Amino acid sequence: MLSSISYIGNIASAKANFSWNKDLDAIFGILSRRFDNFNDNGFYAHPDEVELRKELARVPTLAHLTEGLRGLRANGVVLYGLGLEGLPEERRNAALYALTLMLGYPTSTDQRTGRVAWDVRAAPVKEGGSRFTTFSERVGRADMHTDSSFYPMPEEQFILYVVNAARCHGGHSLLIDAEDIYRALQRTPEGRAAFELLSTTPVPFRVPAVYAAGDDTVEVFVSTVFSPSTAKRVGGRPGPRFMMRWRYDSIIKGLDARPDLDTPALRDAVELMNEAAETGAERFIEQLPTDTLMLVDNHHMLHGRTTYTDERRHLIRIRISDVPNAERIGPSGVGRD
Ligand SMILES: [Fe+2]
């Protein structure tokens, strides 16, 4: 099912070594019966997702692929040649929805439409647009971050699927494992102090304007950057040291909005963490080819991307919660970062 498996730290790369054969039709058939409509091919968090998952688990390719991905026990997986290249959007997104439902519970990414599958591609720049926009709306680099950092329950995982790789010297995907952030911060006394402070002192994350009720509304969510990991231990191995939320621009705007939480020591710690995330820590960097699937642990990895110019670059992103949507607290993965 998976071949050429190799690891760099907690990131696994592999090649998909299977053919979907009739199983794409089987998945499409099941979703066609279960969904009233495909929501413009973005799908939605299905009200009977627990039952739907059981039904999908009987599709052999889907079950084996899920087992293979889980078996890698990695914080990040890069799987080349998933086998969905050239499919019509509805078939491709149906397969991606089904796969993410096998891995957890896909959340809706867009408050307005309820879409689960989000298109990551360049959006035209709006007139006079200086509002606080999100990474997936811009051509250009994305600072290292975790998704939904400004909400109570950031999803545990997300996938990115490459529909069209950038045909320019850019658009690389970046990943940093939590352990590498830790190592980078432990190198100096200032870094160690920053880690300590960001583990104990809540910081305000500003919710980007596009998610808030109105563009002029200021909403913040207050949390520590590092907190005790809720991940389960696997096979007797030590669990992760901590989990993290991180989005530099959101914190800086949050501190501006909440001067009561702003201190010079906290600003320094945030700057040191930003330095570790942007340059100091070891990172995975690759221009992912078309038809690559990336699966990321959003609590134990930072992700980002380098600048690109090719506006045809197109990825699909789906966020995945460990708990069913009905049990989630607060906005449910509606962030579009
Ligand atoms: Fe992101």
Side-chain angles (χ1 to χ4, degrees):
M1 175 112 314
L2 307 179
S3 61
S4 312
I5 299 169
S6 65
Y7 286 83
I8 304 172
N10 283 324
I11 299 170
S13 305
K15 283 194 182 120
N17 188 20
F18 65 90
S19 159
W20 291 87
N21 294 323
K22 295 237 177 297
D23 282 358
L24 285 177
D25 290 339
I27 291 166
F28 196 73
I30 291 169
L31 296 192
S32 299
R33 284 192 296 278
R34 288 278 193 162
F35 277 85
D36 297 335
N37 66 78
F38 284 174
N39 196 18
D40 212 8
N41 295 332
F43 292 85
Y44 49 83
H46 197 279
D48 295 323
E49 56 189 358
V50 177
E51 286 305 308
L52 177 54
R53 175 200 263 187
K54 287 181 194 156
E55 195 178 344
L56 287 166
R58 292 197 283 271
V59 179
T61 310
L62 208 45
H64 294 149
L65 175 57
T66 308
E67 211 174 286
L69 290 170
R70 286 225 178 93
L72 293 172
R73 302 195 194 292
N75 287 348
V77 174
V78 180
L79 180 62
Y80 303 103
L82 184 61
L84 305 180
E85 188 173 356
L87 286 182
E89 186 186 49
E90 57 177 7
R91 296 236 154 200
R92 179 192 69 219
N93 288 0
L96 294 174
Y97 176 82
L99 176 59
T100 51
L101 184 55
M102 294 295 294
L103 294 165
Y105 298 95
T107 61
S108 65
T109 248
D110 185 59
Q111 274 172 328
R112 201 170 44 81
T113 63
R115 287 178 74 93
V116 159
W118 184 256
D119 292 296
V120 181
R121 60 182 158 198
V125 175
K126 293 195 177 88
E127 294 271 326
S130 63
R131 72 198 176 107
F132 179 26
T133 54
T134 68
F135 295 135
S136 63
E137 294 180 307
R138 298 183 294 222
V139 180
R141 70 193 289 273
D143 293 345
M144 301 307 296
H145 65 284
T146 57
D147 271 9
S148 305
S149 53
F150 33 75
Y151 281 137
M153 288 180 80
E155 290 84 347
E156 284 80 0
Q157 304 178 85
F158 67 86
I159 62 147
L160 283 172
Y161 172 76
V162 185
V163 180
N164 269 321
R167 288 179 187 81
C168 60
H169 299 293
H172 296 74
S173 295
L174 305 165
L175 292 174
I176 303 179
D177 189 56
E179 276 300 305
D180 289 311
I181 286 291
Y182 183 76
R183 264 192 285 273
L185 287 175
Q186 294 302 308
R187 273 187 220 129
T188 63
E190 296 78 19
R192 289 196 285 276
F195 179 77
E196 191 54 36
L197 194 64
L198 296 176
S199 302
T200 50
T201 308
V203 301
F205 291 77
R206 182 170 167 184
V207 180
V210 72
Y211 322 139
D215 276 7
D216 299 327
T217 317
V218 176
E219 269 182 46
V220 297
F221 181 79
V222 176
S223 168
T224 54
V225 170
F226 303 112
S227 51
S229 178
T230 53
K232 296 175 200 87
R233 287 163 187 261
V234 179
R237 295 198 313 176
R241 206 184 290 275
F242 55 83
M243 59 187 214
M244 53 190 177
R245 292 172 186 254
W246 179 250
R247 201 172 138 158
Y248 178 72
D249 61 345
S250 167
I251 294 173
I252 293 300
K253 287 179 166 62
L255 288 171
D256 291 343
R258 288 287 303 271
D260 55 313
L261 298 174
D262 194 354
T263 65
L266 190 55
R267 287 263 175 183
D268 288 350
V270 167
E271 289 307 321
L272 274 173
M273 170 60 188
N274 187 44
E275 220 172 275
E278 294 305 320
T279 56
E282 290 279 327
R283 67 208 55 223
F284 169 90
I285 171 162
E286 194 180 307
Q287 195 182 37
L288 301 176
T290 296
D291 200 35
T292 301
L293 176 82
M294 191 160 89
L295 171 64
V296 179
D297 180 328
N298 186 47
H299 286 189
H300 303 98
M301 291 225 122
L302 302 179
H303 66 279
R305 116 185 134 230
T306 63
T307 312
Y308 67 100
T309 51
D310 182 0
E311 295 196 351
R312 287 164 303 177
R313 181 184 191 266
H314 181 197
L315 282 68
I316 304 285
R317 202 259 336 279
I318 301 180
R319 301 212 185 94
I320 313 165
S321 166
D322 274 4
V323 298
N325 282 283
E327 295 167 31
R328 287 180 57 79
I329 297 163
S332 187
V334 289
R336 294 192 276 180
D337 57 334

